[in-house]
Amino acid sequence: PSSLPRFKNIPHMSFDDAAREPDQTFSLNQDPRGELEYPTKIARFSNVYHLSIHFPKNFGAETTKIFYIGLKGEWTEAHRHEVTICNYEASANPADHKVEQITPQTHFIS
């Protein structure tokens, strides 16, 4: 391949989705021994749970053959939380805070 667009966090990506702007595209060099490494934009790929790689073109061959794809990085277990529905009060509602006994207090400043 001569070009390598990469897309992050699109779980059910199709070829129609490959027309969108990729998160990063590598312009690859011919590397028959597989020794070249390409640096990733760390800020864009710091929180990836799904990676899609597209090979749209090659260096003129009829077919594109991929023998190995190596990825570097640190793996962490995904912690996916469901949506929590919460209501926050802008100000307290006294009816929600029932107090059995109210004892008046006076504070003197001397």
Side-chain angles (χ1 to χ4, degrees), residues 28-110:
L28 304 177
N29 297 315
Q30 289 186 350
D31 184 22
R33 294 177 58 176
E35 296 175 344
L36 294 178
E37 293 184 9
Y38 298 91
T40 299
K41 294 179 182 175
I42 295 172
R44 288 203 169 189
F45 290 92
S46 63
N47 191 17
V48 177
Y49 61 86
H50 191 276
L51 181 66
S52 299
I53 302 173
H54 183 224
F55 301 98
K57 55 187 172 181
N58 60 26
F59 291 102
E62 189 173 314
T63 59
T64 301
K65 294 181 182 180
I66 308 295
F67 293 102
Y68 177 79
I69 297 174
L71 302 173
K72 285 186 174 181
E74 295 180 16
W75 179 84
T76 57
E77 187 175 350
H79 297 286
R80 301 184 80 182
H81 300 284
E82 299 295 325
V83 175
T84 303
I85 300 173
C86 298
N87 293 323
Y88 294 97
E89 298 177 354
S91 61
N93 183 356
D96 291 340
H97 307 281
K98 297 180 181 177
V99 178
E100 302 248 345
Q101 180 183 11
I102 298 177
T103 52
Q105 295 181 359
T106 57
H107 298 283
F108 296 101
I109 300 174
S110 49

Side-chain angles (χ1 to χ4, degrees), residues 7-27:
F7 305 86
K8 73 170 190 171
N9 302 338
I10 308 173
H12 303 287
M13 187 172 175
S14 67
F15 284 104
D16 293 333
D17 295 324
R20 67 190 286 177
E21 183 70 26
D23 292 295
Q24 185 175 10
T25 300
F26 291 129
S27 294

